[in-house]
Structures are given as structure tokens and as C-alpha cells.
Amino acid sequence: MTDTKKSIHGEWSSRSAFILAATGSAVGLGNIWKFPYITGEHGGGAFVIVYLLCVALIGIPIMIAETLLGRRGRENPVNTMQLLSAEAEQDPRWQYVGWVGMAAGLLILSYYSVIAGWASAYVFKAFTGSFFNADAAAIKQLFSDFIGSPLQLIFWHTLFMAATLFIVARGVDKGLEKSVRILMPGLFILLILLVMYAMTTSGYFQGIHFLFSFDFSKLTGNAILIAMGQAFFSLGLGMGCVMAYGAYLPNDISIAKTSIIIAAVDTLVALLAGIIIFPIVFTYQLNPGSGPGLIFETLPIAFGTMTGGWLFGVLFFIILVFAALSSAIALIEPTVSWLVENRGISRQRASLQAGGIAWLIGLATVFSFNAWAAFKPFGLTLFDLIDYVTANLMLPLGGLAIAIFVGWKMKQQHSAQELNIVDPEYFKLWLMLTKYLAPAAVFLVFLHVVGVL
Ligand code: PFF
């Protein structure tokens, strides 16, 4: 809150370190695993357009707003909201934004770890040559045998969670920063290589057409909600992660510029993933709407047949695991920093407690793919339900609250001071988007889904 206040957890060593870590949080399973499969489920092009609009008009302004709250408060999301609501002479209940965010983070982490566990298992499958010359049917069978085994899923889920906790326990600069520095550039290079492969497949144009042609007749209210939820999920917004990371941001770094860079990289990675996956889907006549298994049922076919496929396969899944790790550490950070700051326990203990809870809830996701697959409250498996509630309801609601707080409750002079945007026109544009457009858009989508609009 003062210019000199620093987080007790330390700070990012530079602007590039923050960009890397925040990009690491944004780029993850959401881009490479989730974006293609939900795009496939919702018919492609029109869904992608709505997604891009959500990122530009809602995501970026809210990302700027959430980061500025974090840097001004310099504590965990609950304390930050408490401090800033006091500063703005507002109701202390704004701190619930932090609480809901922490809950959403642990819930998302619970299934995130299971899916990242799949990716970890696929590193070994790629390494041991399981995909070699396998056809689409064999790859599909391999996947369904795998997710049909709770023991295997629990094993990989546990391993991934342990790796996450190990990094988080080491702290901001030693753990978080180091891991992303090497991984992000590696991910990028590999994606470009795979795009080059996709361009050689016979389904390339059909895949591109699917991704970028807009048939708005396929777009339902629910699809728009899911596109918006995905924008929040992929940018990692609305749940205090960005706030927690913003708390470690030095004062002289431009929040607006970094937010735009992060959103652009995040969107590019998602589009690249789509450009890789859909051509393979159409080349092998697979179903683009086949759900969460999509990348696990498509990419291995490519790795099994292409030259150098063994190496690319191993590298791809390793990088996917690391992209997931750099997001998982962000998902848990709000709770860990809350435990450290408010309960006075060590980072190690805090990581263990928060991770233990997420691990336990993750078992519901594990069983939703096998033993409990038939258990469908509201017509959704437990995995789908947790995903739906967190991404499509909790995150947009958190984002809505953040936009309203920053746009309407916080003193404008304080937000202007944090953002320090030189051109007043740009500041005005951001303020208009945060004050009116972003909250109105989230609200309208909600109304549409509950059938009022
Ligand atoms: N943005 C991450 C992804 O796309 O995989 C997931 C995520 C990370 C969501 C951090 C929320 C978050 F706070």
C-alpha cells in the first residue's frame, strides 16, 4: 500500500522473470489440452471468435485490474482485499473475493493434477515406444485402458502433486522462477515443430477451416459461457493467482504492458495447439468432439508415424508436464501465502497442507473416469462438474467482483498510481472496459445462461 511495502515472500528479480512466471501460470493444460477439446465440442470457428473477444475485452482489462490489486496490497488475496477495501473505505466483505478464489484454486488444482498425471504417464508411454506405428484405434484403446485404471491414475496424480509441492516449498525466487525460465522457450520451439508437421498432413486445411470458419448457428448460450470461462481459466484470472503473483511485482514494472504480453502469448499457444491437433483429427477421421481425451488420442498417432516421432513425443509430453507444473504452482500460491502470512507456518508445511487437500479432492476426478463414471449429478461426471463450476461460474464471478471493485470502489487516483500509464487515453480506455464493458459482458452471459435473456 505504500511505495516501499514488499511482500514477505520476496520479489521477482526482473520484469522478464515476472513475465515468464505469469506466462507460466497462464500457459498450461488449459491451452494445450482444454482449449482444443472444448473448441472441438462446440463446433470450432464461432467458439474461437467468442473466445478471442472474451480475452481481449474482458480478460486483459481484468488481468490488469487483478495485478494492480495484488501489487498494491502486497499480501495474499484475502489480506490484500481486506487492506484495499479499508483503504477505499469499503465493506470488509470484499475479502470474500480472496476466499472464493482460494477455494477455486484448490478445486482446479485437484483435477489439474490428475490430468497432468496423464501427461506424465504419457512421457513414459512415449519413451517406451507405445505409440510406435500404432493406428488410431490402438491409440484410443491405450488411452481408455489407462483412464480405466484408478491405481495408475492415482499413482501419476500423486507424483505430479508431489513435484508441485516440492517447487512451491522452495519459494518464489528459487522454485518458481527457475523452473519457468527454461520451459517456456522449449515449449514454444516444440509447438512450432509440430505445426510444421501438421502442415504436411492431408487434413491440414480441413483442420484450419474447422478452427477459423465461423458458423454462428452452432453457438449456444452455454457455449458462450464456456468460451468466457475458458478465457478466465486460460489467463488464470478471477481467483487471486494473478493477485498473488502481482504481490511479488516490483513497483517500476508496467502492469498494462506485461498483461497484454502475457495474454497474447497465452492466446498464441492455444491457437497453435489447435492448429496442431485439428489437422491430425481430420487426417485420421477422428471426432473433434471426443472430450478430455482429445490430445491423448490424437497426438500419439502423429508421434507413432512421423520421422523423429519418438523424440518429439517424449519431449512434447515432458514439456506439457512442465507447462502444467508452472500453472499448478500458481493455483496453490494464494492458499500457501495465506497460510504463511496468517497462520505463521513455514512454506513447506503450508504447501503440504494445501496440496494434501487438493490431492484428496482429486480422487473424485480419478474415479469419475472409471469406478464412478456413471455417477452424474446434474448430468455431469464429478470431473466435469468441478470443472464447470470452477471455470464457468467461480472464475467469472471472481472476475466480475474484481472489475467492480477496481472500477467502482477503489479510488481512481490509486489505480492510476499503480498503473502509471503515460497516455491518459489508454488509461481511460482501460477504465471504461473495467468499469462498464467487462462487468456488463459477464453479467449478460450469466443472464443468458439462466434463460433471462
Ligand atoms: N491458466 C492455466 C491453464 O491454462 O492451464 C490454469 C490456471 C492457472 C488457472 C492458474 C487458474 C490459475 F489461477
Side-chain angles (χ1 to χ4, degrees):
M1 301 229 309
T2 63
D3 286 351
T4 48
K5 180 168 177 185
K6 292 226 163 100
S7 164
I8 60 166
H9 306 275
E11 266 193 2
W12 307 111
S13 59
S14 64
R15 178 176 121 112
S16 73
F18 172 72
I19 292 186
L20 270 173
T23 314
S25 153
V27 174
L29 295 175
N31 309 62
I32 297 167
W33 158 76
K34 197 172 177 196
F35 175 77
Y37 98 74
I38 57 174
T39 299
E41 282 178 336
H42 294 94
F47 181 86
V48 175
I49 293 286
V50 177
Y51 173 73
L52 295 177
L53 284 175
C54 289
V55 169
L57 299 178
I58 309 176
I60 294 178
I62 293 185
M63 187 172 218
I64 295 174
E66 192 173 333
T67 314
L68 87 83
L69 289 178
R71 187 166 74 183
R72 197 165 180 82
R74 290 254 184 253
E75 292 193 19
N76 66 72
V78 173
N79 296 16
T80 286
M81 289 308 290
Q82 251 169 1
L83 286 167
L84 297 185
S85 54
E87 184 188 53
E89 292 157 24
Q90 298 294 331
D91 195 317
R93 279 177 296 183
W94 280 101
Q95 65 174 287
Y96 288 120
V97 173
W99 288 107
V100 174
M102 288 196 319
L106 290 187
L107 282 171
I108 294 175
L109 180 62
S110 78
Y111 74 75
Y112 207 84
S113 166
V114 176
I115 310 291
W118 296 0
S120 319
Y122 268 60
V123 172
F124 281 84
K125 291 193 197 297
F127 186 78
T128 54
S130 306
F131 311 145
F132 188 63
N133 274 341
D135 60 11
I139 295 291
K140 198 174 168 63
Q141 190 62 42
L142 186 77
F143 180 68
S144 61
D145 287 347
F146 172 62
I147 62 168
S149 157
L151 273 186
Q152 286 198 54
L153 299 196
I154 291 173
F155 173 78
W156 293 105
H157 167 47
T158 310
L159 205 65
F160 181 83
M161 190 65 87
T164 303
L165 302 186
F166 179 74
I167 299 177
V168 175
R170 289 176 56 117
V172 174
D173 39 0
K174 284 191 231 82
L176 310 194
E177 202 171 310
K178 252 196 205 133
S179 52
V180 273
R181 234 177 228 292
I182 319 158
L183 303 171
M184 285 298 124
L187 175 71
F188 231 75
I189 294 169
L190 216 66
L191 286 177
I192 300 292
L193 284 175
L194 288 172
V195 168
M196 282 158 59
Y197 167 80
M199 287 169 90
T200 67
T201 60
S202 60
Y204 180 66
F205 289 103
Q206 214 183 335
I208 295 297
H209 181 77
F210 178 79
L211 202 56
F212 295 112
S213 67
F214 354 111
D215 177 357
F216 282 101
S217 66
K218 288 194 194 128
L219 210 58
T220 60
N222 197 37
I224 297 174
L225 178 73
I226 291 174
M228 184 175 76
Q230 172 64 10
F232 277 95
F233 183 89
S234 192
L235 297 174
L237 292 181
M239 46 162 295
C241 285
V242 174
M243 220 186 279
Y245 272 24
Y248 313 140
L249 187 61
N251 279 326
D252 53 351
I253 291 176
S254 159
I255 291 179
K257 270 191 217 143
T258 46
S259 299
I260 292 171
I261 296 174
I262 294 159
V265 173
D266 186 65
T267 307
L268 186 66
V269 173
L271 291 176
L272 287 177
I275 294 172
I276 294 164
I277 283 148
F278 290 111
I280 302 175
V281 167
F282 290 108
T283 302
Y284 293 96
Q285 280 128 33
L286 302 167
N287 171 14
S290 65
L294 188 66
I295 67 161
F296 297 93
E297 290 171 355
T298 51
L299 290 178
I301 309 174
F303 297 136
T305 45
M306 69 204 268
T307 355
W310 178 84
L311 183 66
F312 290 147
V314 174
L315 283 179
F316 176 82
F317 285 110
I318 289 182
I319 286 185
L320 186 59
V321 172
F322 279 107
L325 265 176
S326 60
S327 299
I329 58 185
L331 282 163
I332 206 173
E333 185 62 24
T335 310
V336 169
S337 59
W338 183 85
L339 284 168
V340 172
E341 283 162 10
N342 296 18
R343 287 283 148 91
I345 58 177
S346 66
R347 253 191 104 82
Q348 284 81 345
R349 263 192 101 140
S351 316
L352 216 57
Q353 288 182 3
I357 294 170
W359 181 86
L360 211 61
I361 306 171
L363 296 181
T365 291
V366 165
F367 293 123
S368 77
F369 290 105
N370 36 67
W372 299 346
F375 177 53
K376 291 188 170 177
F378 305 102
L380 297 171
T381 64
L382 283 177
F383 156 67
D384 283 326
L385 188 66
I386 297 175
D387 177 33
Y388 192 94
V389 171
T390 49
N392 303 332
L393 304 179
M394 292 171 92
L395 301 190
L397 272 179
L400 181 66
I402 288 168
I404 292 176
F405 184 82
V406 175
W408 295 89
K409 305 291 178 187
M410 196 170 176
K411 294 202 172 70
Q412 205 169 306
Q413 130 211 19
H414 290 159
S415 53
Q417 185 193 356
E418 280 306 323
L419 292 187
N420 201 10
I421 298 178
V422 184
D423 188 336
E425 291 304 313
Y426 283 128
F427 178 74
K428 238 194 250 160
L429 173 67
W430 166 78
L431 194 63
M432 289 298 126
L433 291 173
T434 307
K435 224 172 153 157
Y436 301 106
L437 193 88
V442 176
F443 196 63
L444 287 180
V445 174
F446 277 134
L447 286 187
H448 191 54
V449 172
V450 293
V452 179
L453 265 186

